[in-house]
Amino acid sequence: MRGFLPAWALALRVVGLTFRAQLEYRGEFWMRVALGLAWQTSIIVFATVLLGRFPGMGGWSSDAVLMIAAVRMLGHAFYEVFFGRVGELAVLVQEGRFDAFLLRPLPVYRQVQLSAFPSNALGDLLVGGSLFAWAVWSIELEWAPWQIAYIVAALVGGMLVEAAVFTALSSLHLHFPSAITWSYWTEELMTTFGNYPLKILPGVISGAFTFVVPLAFVAYFPVAVLTGNTAGLGVPVAVAAAAPLIGLAAFAGSRVLWNWSLTRYTGVNG
Amino acid sequence: MTQMSTLDRLSRPASESAIEVRRLVKTFRTARRSPGVRGALRALIAPELESKTAVDDVSFSVATGELLALLGPNGAGKSTTIKVLTGILTPTSGQATVAGVVPYRERERNARNIGAVFGQRTQLWWDLPARESFRILRDIYGVAPGDYKARMREFDELLELCSFWDTRVRHLSLGQRVRCDLAAALLHDPPVVVLDEPTIGMDVVAKEQVRELLRHQVERRGRTVLLTTHDMTEVERLAERVVLINHGRIVLDGTLTEMRERFGRGWRVHVTLTGPDERPCPPGLTVLERDGARLVLGPTGGADAVPTHQALKRIIERYEVMDIRVEESDLEDVMRAAYRDARQESPA
Ligand SMILES: Nc1ncnc2c1ncn2[C@@H]1O[C@H](COP(=O)(O)OP(=O)(O)OP(=O)(O)O)[C@@H](O)[C@H]1O
Ligand SMILES: [Mg+2]
């Protein structure tokens, strides 16, 4: 399996097969899709209620806030589609399935992603897509070519930031199965705080969401740049504008960390 | 570059062996931890480490086309050794090569040279029918369609897979699943095959099929096979050479006969005489039990014991024998003795 195209063809084939396999467990499949839907919808309901109560959060119009939520959720859906399996890597390790990946002449990280069809991501995609469409429709922007290109980049960047965070955390899964709780906790954190302008939070916390868990780069910074809400970001506007690039760099860094962690993998006993 | 490596190969007889393990050490450092977020936190910040040497200075080699059984009691370090050879684990020190490749440095290249079966775990896609896994593996390894068909037919003949290969792997019985795993491991025609307890959970018929398959792989295909097992019948039927390890150290590297000689309590001869006989025992023999006209005799010395045929001759010459039966200690006894012996040598 050499070359880019055959590798993708193979990946798609595996995805197709795992999809078909999941479809055969119809009940389980639809339950997962529904869970994705319910999960995301509850977040939106909460956000809308909050937005209704406090219009103009941190000086942002509610349309712009909606755009933050939309970019984050659609980016998250993309993350679930392409990278979501790292979030529960510890399970693969503990079931011993991870060891089998090391026996095959394919990159291990790719095999992790191909290990299951992301049926829960279908719900995320549906909700994220609808919310994004709604946000685009309600926001007042002229949609110049750079803005269109930028929001696409922001979506990809949001996906990459999230992938970077969970890939880095999953480096720990390879050694400490209980690190999975950190991934759950971080995901909780990102869904709770990811949909609002972070400037409404105290400086220490918004700082933490910029430099520790780089949540600000997922949606807040790029939407701020896009909508011109660049006051009080806590970083220079150029840095905020470079969010997609920073996402790419963070992801590359997390992959280096992950590969290093893999060389120190000691496996589960048995 | 090519010249160098050819020279290298010519000058080193070691490259004749398909598997080379040199002074291999694997130490596990495990963190003791309490469950939950707080436990994870502590594990992140101040892990309490304890180390455990699973493989301790192990060296052995397996020649191309040879079948070697790696034996030892639970926790001896067999699986750990095999995991190093498959590239799952990186050794703490020492080195290993498989078909000239260092598995943990060039994992993907090694994966093409090696077929691996871990009886306790499957490498098949859990949710897919076994046959879909075979097809995916065919694509991964780039097996030509003609070869694929021929090999599947062969595996089906030897392992009777077709009655269950369309079943989802998670619904297969243990024995069925391991048989599929075996086929999956051999699909890309690897020169080296390593198997960690390949017949675990199999019924007698399936076990025999697997042995047949392995014999076929070694004798007809010239493959190199390294296997671990707790089934002594298997060892007896398959292996000429064994490496015995305990507490991560090599206790014996030799033939089955050598192992018998070293750890077996040798032979015993059960004799029924025509009547009570008080004559002394022939030289080199000793009476172990005496019950009227029935005697049980064994060798006196340790290493330079009388061979059985000599002993029989001497017994028949001395006594009026009505019935005679030779009992050689079976391999399980030998292994038990070997494990016990090793335990005394290196108490852990
Ligand atoms: N990932 C690991 N982390 C910590 N300790 C380990 C790990 N893997 C193995 N060990 C320890 O190393 C020792 C050797 O284990 P190994 O699995 O190699 O034994 P084995 O010979 O295969 O035994 P068995 O016959 O029971 O399969 C054991 O004491 C085991 O507890
Ligand atoms: Mg084992």
Side-chain angles (χ1 to χ4, degrees), chain A residues 1 13 17 20 24-25 102-106 172 177 263 266 268 270, chain B residues 33 40 44 83 89-90 107 111 123 128 132 139 141 168 170-171:
Chain A
M1 194 54 41
R13 235 176 82 72
L17 284 168
R20 241 179 41 205
E24 281 171 47
Y25 291 103
L102 289 156
L103 298 175
R104 300 190 195 119
L106 279 184
L172 290 172
T263 63
T266 57
V268 283
Chain B
R33 59 177 168 270
L44 284 174
K83 282 180 189 165
L89 295 178
T90 307
R107 190 188 61 76
Q123 327 164 29
L128 300 181
E132 293 289 7
D139 292 352
Y141 289 98
R168 223 177 272 275
R170 67 158 91 199
H171 294 320

PDB file of all heavy atoms in Angstrom, chain A residues 1 13 17 20 24-25 102-106 172 177 263 266 268 270, chain B residues 33 40 44 83 89-90 107 111 123 128 132 139 141 168 170-171:
ATOM      1  N   MET A   1       0.849  -1.191   0.000  1.00  0.00           N
ATOM      2  CA  MET A   1       0.000   0.000   0.000  1.00  0.00           C
ATOM      3  C   MET A   1       0.877   1.231   0.000  1.00  0.00           C
ATOM      4  O   MET A   1       1.183   1.807   1.041  1.00  0.00           O
ATOM      5  CB  MET A   1      -0.891  -0.033   1.231  1.00  0.00           C
ATOM      6  CG  MET A   1      -2.051   0.917   1.255  1.00  0.00           C
ATOM      7  SD  MET A   1      -3.214   0.911  -0.118  1.00  0.00           S
ATOM      8  CE  MET A   1      -3.444  -0.798  -0.502  1.00  0.00           C
ATOM      9  N   ARG A  13     -12.463   2.252   1.948  1.00  0.00           N
ATOM     10  CA  ARG A  13     -13.023   0.906   1.938  1.00  0.00           C
ATOM     11  C   ARG A  13     -13.314   0.419   3.363  1.00  0.00           C
ATOM     12  O   ARG A  13     -14.371  -0.128   3.651  1.00  0.00           O
ATOM     13  CB  ARG A  13     -12.035  -0.056   1.279  1.00  0.00           C
ATOM     14  CG  ARG A  13     -12.611  -0.822   0.127  1.00  0.00           C
ATOM     15  CD  ARG A  13     -11.536  -1.661  -0.509  1.00  0.00           C
ATOM     16  NE  ARG A  13     -11.347  -2.915   0.223  1.00  0.00           N
ATOM     17  CZ  ARG A  13     -12.220  -3.913   0.203  1.00  0.00           C
ATOM     18  NH1 ARG A  13     -13.322  -3.804  -0.496  1.00  0.00           N
ATOM     19  NH2 ARG A  13     -11.994  -5.013   0.869  1.00  0.00           N
ATOM     20  N   LEU A  17     -16.872  -0.433   5.079  1.00  0.00           N
ATOM     21  CA  LEU A  17     -17.162  -1.719   5.704  1.00  0.00           C
ATOM     22  C   LEU A  17     -17.633  -1.551   7.146  1.00  0.00           C
ATOM     23  O   LEU A  17     -18.587  -2.195   7.584  1.00  0.00           O
ATOM     24  CB  LEU A  17     -15.914  -2.607   5.674  1.00  0.00           C
ATOM     25  CG  LEU A  17     -15.599  -3.234   4.314  1.00  0.00           C
ATOM     26  CD1 LEU A  17     -14.206  -3.841   4.317  1.00  0.00           C
ATOM     27  CD2 LEU A  17     -16.633  -4.291   3.968  1.00  0.00           C
ATOM     28  N   ARG A  20     -21.141  -0.278   7.086  1.00  0.00           N
ATOM     29  CA  ARG A  20     -22.097  -1.347   6.810  1.00  0.00           C
ATOM     30  C   ARG A  20     -22.283  -2.237   8.033  1.00  0.00           C
ATOM     31  O   ARG A  20     -23.393  -2.650   8.358  1.00  0.00           O
ATOM     32  CB  ARG A  20     -21.600  -2.182   5.634  1.00  0.00           C
ATOM     33  CG  ARG A  20     -22.567  -2.131   4.483  1.00  0.00           C
ATOM     34  CD  ARG A  20     -22.125  -2.928   3.287  1.00  0.00           C
ATOM     35  NE  ARG A  20     -21.523  -4.202   3.579  1.00  0.00           N
ATOM     36  CZ  ARG A  20     -20.664  -4.808   2.759  1.00  0.00           C
ATOM     37  NH1 ARG A  20     -20.308  -4.212   1.648  1.00  0.00           N
ATOM     38  NH2 ARG A  20     -20.163  -5.988   3.054  1.00  0.00           N
ATOM     39  N   GLU A  24     -25.866  -2.826  10.407  1.00  0.00           N
ATOM     40  CA  GLU A  24     -26.534  -4.082  10.690  1.00  0.00           C
ATOM     41  C   GLU A  24     -27.028  -4.158  12.122  1.00  0.00           C
ATOM     42  O   GLU A  24     -27.961  -4.886  12.426  1.00  0.00           O
ATOM     43  CB  GLU A  24     -25.618  -5.256  10.338  1.00  0.00           C
ATOM     44  CG  GLU A  24     -25.629  -5.503   8.845  1.00  0.00           C
ATOM     45  CD  GLU A  24     -24.588  -6.502   8.421  1.00  0.00           C
ATOM     46  OE1 GLU A  24     -24.490  -7.554   9.063  1.00  0.00           O
ATOM     47  OE2 GLU A  24     -23.873  -6.208   7.446  1.00  0.00           O
ATOM     48  N   TYR A  25     -26.384  -3.383  12.982  1.00  0.00           N
ATOM     49  CA  TYR A  25     -26.938  -3.247  14.336  1.00  0.00           C
ATOM     50  C   TYR A  25     -27.805  -1.998  14.318  1.00  0.00           C
ATOM     51  O   TYR A  25     -27.420  -0.968  14.866  1.00  0.00           O
ATOM     52  CB  TYR A  25     -25.829  -3.071  15.368  1.00  0.00           C
ATOM     53  CG  TYR A  25     -24.998  -4.291  15.576  1.00  0.00           C
ATOM     54  CD1 TYR A  25     -23.731  -4.386  15.028  1.00  0.00           C
ATOM     55  CD2 TYR A  25     -25.477  -5.337  16.343  1.00  0.00           C
ATOM     56  CE1 TYR A  25     -22.963  -5.510  15.218  1.00  0.00           C
ATOM     57  CE2 TYR A  25     -24.716  -6.459  16.535  1.00  0.00           C
ATOM     58  CZ  TYR A  25     -23.463  -6.551  15.976  1.00  0.00           C
ATOM     59  OH  TYR A  25     -22.699  -7.658  16.166  1.00  0.00           O
ATOM     60  N   LEU A 102      -0.394  -2.402  15.740  1.00  0.00           N
ATOM     61  CA  LEU A 102       1.061  -2.369  15.614  1.00  0.00           C
ATOM     62  C   LEU A 102       1.593  -3.521  14.769  1.00  0.00           C
ATOM     63  O   LEU A 102       2.754  -3.537  14.397  1.00  0.00           O
ATOM     64  CB  LEU A 102       1.693  -2.415  17.011  1.00  0.00           C
ATOM     65  CG  LEU A 102       1.511  -1.129  17.816  1.00  0.00           C
ATOM     66  CD1 LEU A 102       1.616  -1.396  19.297  1.00  0.00           C
ATOM     67  CD2 LEU A 102       2.536  -0.095  17.393  1.00  0.00           C
ATOM     68  N   LEU A 103       0.741  -4.475  14.481  1.00  0.00           N
ATOM     69  CA  LEU A 103       1.179  -5.625  13.689  1.00  0.00           C
ATOM     70  C   LEU A 103       1.004  -5.394  12.196  1.00  0.00           C
ATOM     71  O   LEU A 103       1.396  -6.219  11.398  1.00  0.00           O
ATOM     72  CB  LEU A 103       0.375  -6.873  14.082  1.00  0.00           C
ATOM     73  CG  LEU A 103       0.517  -7.350  15.521  1.00  0.00           C
ATOM     74  CD1 LEU A 103      -0.421  -8.511  15.775  1.00  0.00           C
ATOM     75  CD2 LEU A 103       1.954  -7.760  15.791  1.00  0.00           C
ATOM     76  N   ARG A 104       0.361  -4.296  11.838  1.00  0.00           N
ATOM     77  CA  ARG A 104       0.073  -4.092  10.425  1.00  0.00           C
ATOM     78  C   ARG A 104       0.930  -2.996   9.822  1.00  0.00           C
ATOM     79  O   ARG A 104       1.252  -2.031  10.500  1.00  0.00           O
ATOM     80  CB  ARG A 104      -1.404  -3.721  10.244  1.00  0.00           C
ATOM     81  CG  ARG A 104      -2.298  -4.793  10.744  1.00  0.00           C
ATOM     82  CD  ARG A 104      -3.713  -4.521  10.329  1.00  0.00           C
ATOM     83  NE  ARG A 104      -4.589  -5.364  11.100  1.00  0.00           N
ATOM     84  CZ  ARG A 104      -5.527  -4.913  11.914  1.00  0.00           C
ATOM     85  NH1 ARG A 104      -5.734  -3.631  12.037  1.00  0.00           N
ATOM     86  NH2 ARG A 104      -6.264  -5.756  12.573  1.00  0.00           N
ATOM     87  N   PRO A 105       1.270  -3.144   8.551  1.00  0.00           N
ATOM     88  CA  PRO A 105       2.125  -2.153   7.908  1.00  0.00           C
ATOM     89  C   PRO A 105       1.367  -0.902   7.507  1.00  0.00           C
ATOM     90  O   PRO A 105       1.355  -0.517   6.351  1.00  0.00           O
ATOM     91  CB  PRO A 105       2.661  -2.909   6.686  1.00  0.00           C
ATOM     92  CG  PRO A 105       1.587  -3.881   6.352  1.00  0.00           C
ATOM     93  CD  PRO A 105       0.929  -4.258   7.639  1.00  0.00           C
ATOM     94  N   LEU A 106       0.724  -0.278   8.472  1.00  0.00           N
ATOM     95  CA  LEU A 106       0.007   0.973   8.223  1.00  0.00           C
ATOM     96  C   LEU A 106       0.275   1.890   9.405  1.00  0.00           C
ATOM     97  O   LEU A 106       0.494   1.406  10.509  1.00  0.00           O
ATOM     98  CB  LEU A 106      -1.502   0.732   8.178  1.00  0.00           C
ATOM     99  CG  LEU A 106      -2.169   0.194   6.929  1.00  0.00           C
ATOM    100  CD1 LEU A 106      -3.670   0.161   7.141  1.00  0.00           C
ATOM    101  CD2 LEU A 106      -1.838   1.050   5.722  1.00  0.00           C
ATOM    102  N   LEU A 172      -1.409  10.257  26.522  1.00  0.00           N
ATOM    103  CA  LEU A 172      -1.432   9.741  27.899  1.00  0.00           C
ATOM    104  C   LEU A 172      -2.219   8.434  27.993  1.00  0.00           C
ATOM    105  O   LEU A 172      -1.880   7.566  28.790  1.00  0.00           O
ATOM    106  CB  LEU A 172      -2.043  10.774  28.844  1.00  0.00           C
ATOM    107  CG  LEU A 172      -1.215  12.027  29.117  1.00  0.00           C
ATOM    108  CD1 LEU A 172      -2.031  13.040  29.905  1.00  0.00           C
ATOM    109  CD2 LEU A 172       0.038  11.662  29.890  1.00  0.00           C
ATOM    110  N   PRO A 177      -4.468   4.333  31.441  1.00  0.00           N
ATOM    111  CA  PRO A 177      -5.860   4.191  30.980  1.00  0.00           C
ATOM    112  C   PRO A 177      -6.788   5.202  31.639  1.00  0.00           C
ATOM    113  O   PRO A 177      -7.742   5.668  31.013  1.00  0.00           O
ATOM    114  CB  PRO A 177      -6.228   2.779  31.408  1.00  0.00           C
ATOM    115  CG  PRO A 177      -4.940   2.069  31.622  1.00  0.00           C
ATOM    116  CD  PRO A 177      -3.926   3.091  32.001  1.00  0.00           C
ATOM    117  N   THR A 263       6.424   5.279  20.866  1.00  0.00           N
ATOM    118  CA  THR A 263       7.676   4.529  20.971  1.00  0.00           C
ATOM    119  C   THR A 263       7.893   4.041  22.407  1.00  0.00           C
ATOM    120  O   THR A 263       8.685   3.142  22.638  1.00  0.00           O
ATOM    121  CB  THR A 263       8.904   5.372  20.558  1.00  0.00           C
ATOM    122  OG1 THR A 263       9.011   6.467  21.467  1.00  0.00           O
ATOM    123  CG2 THR A 263       8.784   5.884  19.140  1.00  0.00           C
ATOM    124  N   THR A 266       4.002   0.449  26.300  1.00  0.00           N
ATOM    125  CA  THR A 266       4.357  -0.836  26.906  1.00  0.00           C
ATOM    126  C   THR A 266       3.201  -1.815  26.899  1.00  0.00           C
ATOM    127  O   THR A 266       3.332  -2.937  27.366  1.00  0.00           O
ATOM    128  CB  THR A 266       4.835  -0.666  28.352  1.00  0.00           C
ATOM    129  OG1 THR A 266       3.812  -0.009  29.091  1.00  0.00           O
ATOM    130  CG2 THR A 266       6.114   0.108  28.420  1.00  0.00           C
ATOM    131  N   VAL A 268      -0.788  -3.488  27.158  1.00  0.00           N
ATOM    132  CA  VAL A 268      -1.495  -4.067  28.286  1.00  0.00           C
ATOM    133  C   VAL A 268      -0.969  -5.479  28.465  1.00  0.00           C
ATOM    134  O   VAL A 268      -0.538  -6.111  27.528  1.00  0.00           O
ATOM    135  CB  VAL A 268      -3.017  -4.094  28.066  1.00  0.00           C
ATOM    136  CG1 VAL A 268      -3.591  -2.726  28.279  1.00  0.00           C
ATOM    137  CG2 VAL A 268      -3.364  -4.630  26.705  1.00  0.00           C
ATOM    138  N   GLY A 270      -0.719  -9.425  28.910  1.00  0.00           N
ATOM    139  CA  GLY A 270      -1.507 -10.587  28.453  1.00  0.00           C
ATOM    140  C   GLY A 270      -1.022 -11.138  27.146  1.00  0.00           C
ATOM    141  O   GLY A 270      -0.243 -10.568  26.467  1.00  0.00           O
TER     142      GLY A 270
ATOM    143  N   ARG B  33      -1.571   3.455  41.057  1.00  0.00           N
ATOM    144  CA  ARG B  33      -2.444   4.622  41.123  1.00  0.00           C
ATOM    145  C   ARG B  33      -3.817   4.250  41.638  1.00  0.00           C
ATOM    146  O   ARG B  33      -4.247   3.105  41.599  1.00  0.00           O
ATOM    147  CB  ARG B  33      -2.576   5.279  39.757  1.00  0.00           C
ATOM    148  CG  ARG B  33      -3.119   4.326  38.757  1.00  0.00           C
ATOM    149  CD  ARG B  33      -3.329   4.955  37.418  1.00  0.00           C
ATOM    150  NE  ARG B  33      -3.589   3.901  36.461  1.00  0.00           N
ATOM    151  CZ  ARG B  33      -2.650   3.295  35.781  1.00  0.00           C
ATOM    152  NH1 ARG B  33      -1.393   3.647  35.902  1.00  0.00           N
ATOM    153  NH2 ARG B  33      -2.956   2.319  34.960  1.00  0.00           N
ATOM    154  N   ALA B  40      -5.805   9.891  38.317  1.00  0.00           N
ATOM    155  CA  ALA B  40      -5.191  10.268  37.052  1.00  0.00           C
ATOM    156  C   ALA B  40      -4.298  11.484  37.253  1.00  0.00           C
ATOM    157  O   ALA B  40      -3.194  11.572  36.718  1.00  0.00           O
ATOM    158  CB  ALA B  40      -6.273  10.574  36.017  1.00  0.00           C
ATOM    159  N   LEU B  44      -0.308  11.774  36.755  1.00  0.00           N
ATOM    160  CA  LEU B  44       0.292  12.746  35.853  1.00  0.00           C
ATOM    161  C   LEU B  44       1.405  13.520  36.542  1.00  0.00           C
ATOM    162  O   LEU B  44       2.431  13.823  35.949  1.00  0.00           O
ATOM    163  CB  LEU B  44      -0.768  13.745  35.380  1.00  0.00           C
ATOM    164  CG  LEU B  44      -1.733  13.236  34.327  1.00  0.00           C
ATOM    165  CD1 LEU B  44      -2.801  14.269  34.071  1.00  0.00           C
ATOM    166  CD2 LEU B  44      -0.990  12.932  33.049  1.00  0.00           C
ATOM    167  N   LYS B  83       6.307  -9.953  21.800  1.00  0.00           N
ATOM    168  CA  LYS B  83       5.893  -8.585  21.482  1.00  0.00           C
ATOM    169  C   LYS B  83       7.061  -7.744  21.002  1.00  0.00           C
ATOM    170  O   LYS B  83       6.888  -6.839  20.179  1.00  0.00           O
ATOM    171  CB  LYS B  83       5.241  -7.937  22.700  1.00  0.00           C
ATOM    172  CG  LYS B  83       3.804  -8.415  22.895  1.00  0.00           C
ATOM    173  CD  LYS B  83       3.179  -7.769  24.090  1.00  0.00           C
ATOM    174  CE  LYS B  83       1.841  -8.403  24.405  1.00  0.00           C
ATOM    175  NZ  LYS B  83       1.394  -8.029  25.751  1.00  0.00           N
ATOM    176  N   LEU B  89       6.558  -3.895  21.329  1.00  0.00           N
ATOM    177  CA  LEU B  89       7.330  -3.328  22.432  1.00  0.00           C
ATOM    178  C   LEU B  89       8.751  -3.013  21.988  1.00  0.00           C
ATOM    179  O   LEU B  89       9.323  -3.699  21.153  1.00  0.00           O
ATOM    180  CB  LEU B  89       7.398  -4.324  23.595  1.00  0.00           C
ATOM    181  CG  LEU B  89       6.113  -4.681  24.316  1.00  0.00           C
ATOM    182  CD1 LEU B  89       6.398  -5.710  25.395  1.00  0.00           C
ATOM    183  CD2 LEU B  89       5.483  -3.446  24.928  1.00  0.00           C
ATOM    184  N   THR B  90       9.311  -1.970  22.579  1.00  0.00           N
ATOM    185  CA  THR B  90      10.713  -1.634  22.372  1.00  0.00           C
ATOM    186  C   THR B  90      11.484  -2.166  23.574  1.00  0.00           C
ATOM    187  O   THR B  90      11.081  -1.920  24.703  1.00  0.00           O
ATOM    188  CB  THR B  90      10.878  -0.102  22.293  1.00  0.00           C
ATOM    189  OG1 THR B  90       9.973   0.378  21.299  1.00  0.00           O
ATOM    190  CG2 THR B  90      12.280   0.284  21.906  1.00  0.00           C
ATOM    191  N   ARG B 107       8.957  -0.794  12.200  1.00  0.00           N
ATOM    192  CA  ARG B 107       7.775  -1.581  12.503  1.00  0.00           C
ATOM    193  C   ARG B 107       7.024  -2.003  11.244  1.00  0.00           C
ATOM    194  O   ARG B 107       6.670  -3.166  11.081  1.00  0.00           O
ATOM    195  CB  ARG B 107       6.844  -0.770  13.418  1.00  0.00           C
ATOM    196  CG  ARG B 107       5.696  -1.554  13.992  1.00  0.00           C
ATOM    197  CD  ARG B 107       4.736  -0.643  14.716  1.00  0.00           C
ATOM    198  NE  ARG B 107       4.156   0.363  13.834  1.00  0.00           N
ATOM    199  CZ  ARG B 107       3.196   0.120  12.952  1.00  0.00           C
ATOM    200  NH1 ARG B 107       2.692  -1.079  12.842  1.00  0.00           N
ATOM    201  NH2 ARG B 107       2.725   1.076  12.180  1.00  0.00           N
ATOM    202  N   ALA B 111       6.441  -5.711   9.755  1.00  0.00           N
ATOM    203  CA  ALA B 111       5.077  -6.257   9.664  1.00  0.00           C
ATOM    204  C   ALA B 111       4.856  -7.007   8.359  1.00  0.00           C
ATOM    205  O   ALA B 111       4.050  -7.930   8.294  1.00  0.00           O
ATOM    206  CB  ALA B 111       4.061  -5.122   9.799  1.00  0.00           C
ATOM    207  N   GLN B 123      -6.805  -9.967  15.886  1.00  0.00           N
ATOM    208  CA  GLN B 123      -6.370  -8.822  15.088  1.00  0.00           C
ATOM    209  C   GLN B 123      -7.367  -8.572  13.988  1.00  0.00           C
ATOM    210  O   GLN B 123      -7.133  -7.796  13.097  1.00  0.00           O
ATOM    211  CB  GLN B 123      -5.038  -9.089  14.414  1.00  0.00           C
ATOM    212  CG  GLN B 123      -4.137  -9.942  15.190  1.00  0.00           C
ATOM    213  CD  GLN B 123      -3.033 -10.452  14.301  1.00  0.00           C
ATOM    214  OE1 GLN B 123      -2.641  -9.817  13.336  1.00  0.00           O
ATOM    215  NE2 GLN B 123      -2.525 -11.610  14.629  1.00  0.00           N
ATOM    216  N   LEU B 128     -16.764  -6.940  11.893  1.00  0.00           N
ATOM    217  CA  LEU B 128     -16.935  -7.400  10.512  1.00  0.00           C
ATOM    218  C   LEU B 128     -16.870  -8.921  10.440  1.00  0.00           C
ATOM    219  O   LEU B 128     -16.229  -9.556  11.274  1.00  0.00           O
ATOM    220  CB  LEU B 128     -15.825  -6.827   9.626  1.00  0.00           C
ATOM    221  CG  LEU B 128     -15.700  -5.318   9.526  1.00  0.00           C
ATOM    222  CD1 LEU B 128     -14.562  -4.967   8.577  1.00  0.00           C
ATOM    223  CD2 LEU B 128     -16.993  -4.703   9.030  1.00  0.00           C
ATOM    224  N   GLU B 132     -14.351 -10.381   5.557  1.00  0.00           N
ATOM    225  CA  GLU B 132     -14.094  -8.974   5.219  1.00  0.00           C
ATOM    226  C   GLU B 132     -12.717  -8.564   5.731  1.00  0.00           C
ATOM    227  O   GLU B 132     -11.994  -7.820   5.083  1.00  0.00           O
ATOM    228  CB  GLU B 132     -15.164  -8.064   5.826  1.00  0.00           C
ATOM    229  CG  GLU B 132     -16.550  -8.245   5.248  1.00  0.00           C
ATOM    230  CD  GLU B 132     -16.678  -7.731   3.826  1.00  0.00           C
ATOM    231  OE1 GLU B 132     -15.664  -7.351   3.221  1.00  0.00           O
ATOM    232  OE2 GLU B 132     -17.821  -7.730   3.312  1.00  0.00           O
ATOM    233  N   ASP B 139      -5.800  -6.134   0.833  1.00  0.00           N
ATOM    234  CA  ASP B 139      -5.528  -4.808   0.277  1.00  0.00           C
ATOM    235  C   ASP B 139      -4.355  -4.134   0.983  1.00  0.00           C
ATOM    236  O   ASP B 139      -3.535  -3.480   0.347  1.00  0.00           O
ATOM    237  CB  ASP B 139      -6.772  -3.918   0.386  1.00  0.00           C
ATOM    238  CG  ASP B 139      -7.876  -4.409  -0.534  1.00  0.00           C
ATOM    239  OD1 ASP B 139      -7.608  -5.324  -1.330  1.00  0.00           O
ATOM    240  OD2 ASP B 139      -9.000  -3.879  -0.450  1.00  0.00           O
ATOM    241  N   TYR B 141      -1.783  -5.505   2.425  1.00  0.00           N
ATOM    242  CA  TYR B 141      -0.497  -6.109   2.067  1.00  0.00           C
ATOM    243  C   TYR B 141      -0.288  -6.194   0.560  1.00  0.00           C
ATOM    244  O   TYR B 141       0.756  -6.650   0.103  1.00  0.00           O
ATOM    245  CB  TYR B 141      -0.385  -7.505   2.673  1.00  0.00           C
ATOM    246  CG  TYR B 141      -0.200  -7.505   4.162  1.00  0.00           C
ATOM    247  CD1 TYR B 141      -1.266  -7.694   5.025  1.00  0.00           C
ATOM    248  CD2 TYR B 141       1.062  -7.288   4.719  1.00  0.00           C
ATOM    249  CE1 TYR B 141      -1.089  -7.683   6.402  1.00  0.00           C
ATOM    250  CE2 TYR B 141       1.252  -7.277   6.090  1.00  0.00           C
ATOM    251  CZ  TYR B 141       0.162  -7.482   6.928  1.00  0.00           C
ATOM    252  OH  TYR B 141       0.346  -7.470   8.278  1.00  0.00           O
ATOM    253  N   ARG B 168     -19.709 -12.563  11.878  1.00  0.00           N
ATOM    254  CA  ARG B 168     -19.030 -11.445  12.498  1.00  0.00           C
ATOM    255  C   ARG B 168     -18.044 -11.953  13.555  1.00  0.00           C
ATOM    256  O   ARG B 168     -18.383 -12.842  14.335  1.00  0.00           O
ATOM    257  CB  ARG B 168     -20.088 -10.654  13.224  1.00  0.00           C
ATOM    258  CG  ARG B 168     -20.013  -9.216  13.101  1.00  0.00           C
ATOM    259  CD  ARG B 168     -21.223  -8.706  13.848  1.00  0.00           C
ATOM    260  NE  ARG B 168     -22.360  -8.661  12.942  1.00  0.00           N
ATOM    261  CZ  ARG B 168     -22.575  -7.621  12.162  1.00  0.00           C
ATOM    262  NH1 ARG B 168     -21.771  -6.595  12.221  1.00  0.00           N
ATOM    263  NH2 ARG B 168     -23.594  -7.605  11.348  1.00  0.00           N
ATOM    264  N   ARG B 170     -17.028 -10.915  16.332  1.00  0.00           N
ATOM    265  CA  ARG B 170     -17.412 -10.898  17.742  1.00  0.00           C
ATOM    266  C   ARG B 170     -18.365 -12.037  18.111  1.00  0.00           C
ATOM    267  O   ARG B 170     -18.542 -12.340  19.279  1.00  0.00           O
ATOM    268  CB  ARG B 170     -18.013  -9.551  18.124  1.00  0.00           C
ATOM    269  CG  ARG B 170     -19.335  -9.251  17.476  1.00  0.00           C
ATOM    270  CD  ARG B 170     -20.083  -8.217  18.276  1.00  0.00           C
ATOM    271  NE  ARG B 170     -19.823  -6.847  17.845  1.00  0.00           N
ATOM    272  CZ  ARG B 170     -20.055  -5.803  18.591  1.00  0.00           C
ATOM    273  NH1 ARG B 170     -20.482  -5.946  19.812  1.00  0.00           N
ATOM    274  NH2 ARG B 170     -19.847  -4.588  18.125  1.00  0.00           N
ATOM    275  N   HIS B 171     -18.969 -12.671  17.086  1.00  0.00           N
ATOM    276  CA  HIS B 171     -19.860 -13.796  17.371  1.00  0.00           C
ATOM    277  C   HIS B 171     -19.188 -15.155  17.222  1.00  0.00           C
ATOM    278  O   HIS B 171     -19.822 -16.184  17.419  1.00  0.00           O
ATOM    279  CB  HIS B 171     -21.082 -13.764  16.442  1.00  0.00           C
ATOM    280  CG  HIS B 171     -21.967 -12.581  16.692  1.00  0.00           C
ATOM    281  ND1 HIS B 171     -22.242 -12.134  17.959  1.00  0.00           N
ATOM    282  CD2 HIS B 171     -22.619 -11.756  15.837  1.00  0.00           C
ATOM    283  CE1 HIS B 171     -23.038 -11.079  17.873  1.00  0.00           C
ATOM    284  NE2 HIS B 171     -23.275 -10.826  16.596  1.00  0.00           N
TER     285      HIS B 171
END
